[in-house]
Amino acid sequence: MIMQINNLRSLTIAVCFIPLLWVVFDIAFDNLGSNQMQALHIRLGDWALRFLWITLAITPVQTVTKWRGMTEYRQLFGLYAFFYASLHVLVYLAVDQVFAWRIIGIDILESSYIWFGLIAYIIVFSLGITSSKASKKLLGKSWKKLHRFIYIAAGAAMIHYFWQLKGNLAEPLFYLLLIFMLLGFRAVIWFKNKQLSQMMIPKGRASTDTESD
């Protein structure tokens, strides 16, 4: 059983590298189209967004299937979101702008969508570097609070994605629908848990609390 789980994890790690290999293949065989820089930038950003969405989908899947082992895969997919987001940023800094910091600064100031991309990346970066068990132990209760910022990262990434695209909006609208479904699922679970916790409060205690108020 343990060997099967390890094999599944190894297979998942290998599969998550396929988008990168696909990009490298297209670069090698000149399949990125006329605007190769833009295509490379968008492709890596798309995969960062997709892995972020997969990470957010783990909790609903875990809730439905009752498989507690999904938690480990949530961390794995989150790290891949961080990995592809870092490549996305690196291509912009090193390949697109050639580390011309003055031009980069002007670009950031003049392009509102970059601000949202920057917010999303800072959060994903923070979550990535604190994903280890040692960080979780060190941060204690603050770790969970920090990792809830993934919802803000998802929203900022979505705005960043929308504002920079022109033309066909079918794909970003699909991503937007997904994020609404994923966050909506969490809202429903939170509301049900809150109602359940209120039902479990003894009536005598509730009346005493009311009188003390």
Side-chain angles (χ1 to χ4, degrees), residues 181-196:
M181 290 174 60
L182 293 172
L183 296 183
F185 179 88
R186 283 167 169 79
V188 170
I189 295 298
W190 176 84
F191 184 71
K192 288 180 65 177
N193 289 339
K194 187 177 181 181
Q195 282 190 321
L196 183 62

Side-chain angles (χ1 to χ4, degrees), residues 49 52-53 112-124 149-164 176 179 183:
L49 195 63
L52 185 59
W53 266 220
S112 300
Y113 76 90
I114 295 182
W115 280 97
F116 288 96
L118 189 59
I119 291 169
Y121 182 70
I122 289 172
I123 293 173
V124 170
F149 275 84
I150 190 173
Y151 306 125
I152 298 176
M158 199 70 246
I159 295 172
H160 171 73
Y161 187 59
F162 257 103
W163 278 11
Q164 68 174 321
L176 186 62
I179 192 63
L183 296 183

Side-chain angles (χ1 to χ4, degrees), residues 13-75:
I13 291 172
V15 168
C16 289
F17 272 113
I18 290 177
L20 179 60
L21 295 176
W22 187 5
V23 169
V24 171
F25 177 86
D26 284 343
I27 292 172
F29 290 90
D30 198 21
N31 291 332
L32 290 177
S34 57
N35 194 337
Q36 296 186 6
M37 188 65 62
Q38 184 183 38
L40 178 61
H41 202 231
I42 290 176
R43 286 267 292 272
L44 292 171
D46 282 353
W47 279 106
L49 195 63
R50 288 164 188 159
F51 277 109
L52 185 59
W53 266 220
I54 293 171
T55 304
L56 289 171
I58 292 297
T59 295
V61 171
Q62 183 174 262
T63 303
V64 172
T65 62
K66 307 298 182 183
W67 180 28
R68 306 308 299 176
M70 293 294 289
T71 303
E72 186 177 351
Y73 289 89
R74 179 172 56 197
Q75 182 191 48

Side-chain angles (χ1 to χ4, degrees), residues 170-185:
E171 191 170 356
L173 286 173
F174 174 72
Y175 291 149
L176 186 62
L177 177 62
L178 279 180
I179 192 63
F180 274 126
M181 290 174 60
L182 293 172
L183 296 183
F185 179 88

Side-chain angles (χ1 to χ4, degrees), residues 87-117:
L87 290 179
H88 176 69
V89 172
L90 186 61
V91 165
Y92 170 74
L93 295 176
V95 183
D96 191 10
Q97 302 294 348
V98 201
F99 293 117
W101 297 110
R102 183 175 174 276
I103 297 175
I104 291 170
I106 293 172
D107 198 17
I108 292 173
L109 290 173
E110 293 182 349
S111 305
S112 300
Y113 76 90
I114 295 182
W115 280 97
F116 288 96

